[in-house]
C-alpha cells in the first residue's frame, strides 16, 4: 500500500475568476475541506447584512481580522491534515508573497501544496461581478466598478515557476472552462 501525503490546495485567480465555485466543486471531488476567507469574514464580522462595497475605503478589510481568520483556518487545517485529509484555501492569494507563505506553511506540516490557477479573461469576470451584484446571497457583497478596477491592479498572476505542476483552469466566454 502506497502512503499518500495530504494536499493543501491553494486557489488563485483574479476577482470573479470563479475561485469559490471552483473550490467548492474541488472539495467534493477531492474529499477535502474548503476554507473560504470571504465566507469567514462575512459570517464572523459582517453578518447577513454584509456591507456594499460602494467605496474603496470599504474594501479595506481590517488586516487583523484577516490574520485571525487565516490563523484559525490553519489551526483547524493542521488537525485535518494530520489525519491525511486535504484542505482547500480559498483566500486572497493575489500576491506571490502570500502564495509562498501558504506553500511554506503546507510543507511545515508535512503536506503537499498544489496551486490551482483560474485564468479567466477580464470581460467574463466583469460580467460575473455584474450578475453577482444583482443576485447577491445573504453573505455576499456588492462590488463597484472602482473596486473591481482597483483589485485588477493589485493582482499578481503566478509566475512560470509557480505554475510548474499547478492545475491551470482557463475559461473563454463562449466555450466554458478548460483545464491545461
Amino acid at each position: 500500500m502506497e502512503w499518500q501525503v495530504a494536499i493543501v490546495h491553494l486557489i488563485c485567480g483574479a476577482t470573479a475568476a470563479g475561485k469559490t465555485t471552483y473550490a467548492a466543486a474541488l472539495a467534493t471531488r477531492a474529499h477535502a475541506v474548503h476554507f473560504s476567507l470571504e465566507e469567514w469574514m462575512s459570517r464572523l464580522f459582517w453578518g447577513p447584512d454584509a456591507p456594499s462595497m460602494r467605496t474603496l475605503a470599504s474594501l479595506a478589510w481590517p488586516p487583523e481580522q484577516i490574520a485571525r481568520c487565516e490563523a484559525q483556518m490553519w489551526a483547524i487545517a493542521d488537525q485535518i491534515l494530520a489525519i491525511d485529509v486535504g484542505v482547500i484555501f480559498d483566500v486572497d492569494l493575489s500576491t506571490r508573497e502570500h502564495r509562498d507563505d501558504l506553500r511554506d506553511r503546507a510543507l511545515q506540516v508535512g503536506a503537499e501544496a498544489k496551486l490551482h490557477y483560474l485564468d479567466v479573461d477580464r470581460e467574463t469576470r466583469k460580467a460575473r461581478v455584474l450578475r453577482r451584484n444583482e443576485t447577491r446571497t445573504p453573505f455576499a457583497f456588492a462590488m463597484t466598478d472602482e473596486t473591481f478596477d482597483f483589485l485588477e491592479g493589485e493582482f499578481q498572476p503566478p509566475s512560470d515557476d509557480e505554475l510548474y505542476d499547478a492545475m491551470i483552469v482557463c475559461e473563454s466566454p463562449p466555450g466554458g472552462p478548460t483545464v491545461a
Side-chain angles (χ1 to χ4, degrees), residues 15 120-128 145 148-149 152-153:
T15 301
V120 180
D121 68 271
R122 179 185 171 93
E123 293 75 29
T124 299
R125 293 183 293 104
K126 184 71 171 185
R128 287 177 181 172
D145 288 341
F148 182 87
D149 292 340
E152 282 291 287

Side-chain angles (χ1 to χ4, degrees), residues 2-10 30-33 74 76-89 102-103 105-114 116:
E2 185 178 317
W3 182 72
Q4 293 190 352
V5 174
I7 299 173
V8 176
H9 299 273
L10 305 173
H31 303 287
V33 178
W74 272 110
I76 297 167
D78 285 344
Q79 296 173 53
I80 294 166
L81 293 164
I83 58 171
D84 295 324
V85 174
V87 296
I88 300 167
F89 276 87
L102 267 66
R103 276 190 288 268
R105 182 69 170 80
L107 295 174
Q108 288 172 8
V109 298
E112 176 186 337
K114 176 78 172 179
H116 298 253

Side-chain angles (χ1 to χ4, degrees), residues 35-160:
F35 292 97
S36 168
L37 179 63
E38 186 174 319
E39 183 179 314
W40 280 52
M41 290 292 292
S42 294
R43 290 182 185 274
L44 293 175
F45 301 110
W46 296 334
D49 298 320
S52 175
M53 293 185 124
R54 303 255 182 251
T55 67
L56 285 179
S58 65
L59 176 64
W61 290 352
E64 69 277 0
Q65 290 178 349
I66 293 170
R68 285 175 24 212
C69 282
E70 282 196 24
Q72 187 59 36
M73 287 175 184
W74 272 110
I76 297 167
D78 285 344
Q79 296 173 53
I80 294 166
L81 293 164
I83 58 171
D84 295 324
V85 174
V87 296
I88 300 167
F89 276 87
D90 173 17
V91 297
D92 179 27
L93 295 175
S94 61
T95 67
R96 167 81 186 240
E97 179 181 11
H98 197 190
R99 294 188 294 269
D100 285 346
D101 287 347
L102 267 66
R103 276 190 288 268
D104 291 345
R105 182 69 170 80
L107 295 174
Q108 288 172 8
V109 298
E112 176 186 337
K114 176 78 172 179
L115 183 68
H116 298 253
Y117 175 47
L118 281 64
D119 186 10
V120 180
D121 68 271
R122 179 185 171 93
E123 293 75 29
T124 299
R125 293 183 293 104
K126 184 71 171 185
R128 287 177 181 172
V129 166
L130 294 174
R131 278 194 310 275
R132 186 168 64 182
N133 284 348
E134 293 171 1
T135 60
R136 267 195 318 161
T137 60
F139 288 101
F141 53 81
M143 183 176 297
T144 65
D145 288 341
E146 179 186 29
T147 300
F148 182 87
D149 292 340
F150 173 79
L151 292 172
E152 282 291 287
E154 295 296 304
F155 181 69
Q156 298 170 7
S159 62
D160 288 345

Side-chain angles (χ1 to χ4, degrees), residues 159-174:
S159 62
D160 288 345
D161 65 307
E162 287 183 276
L163 294 175
Y164 183 79
D165 276 343
M167 174 65 73
I168 304 170
V169 180
C170 302
E171 187 171 330
S172 56

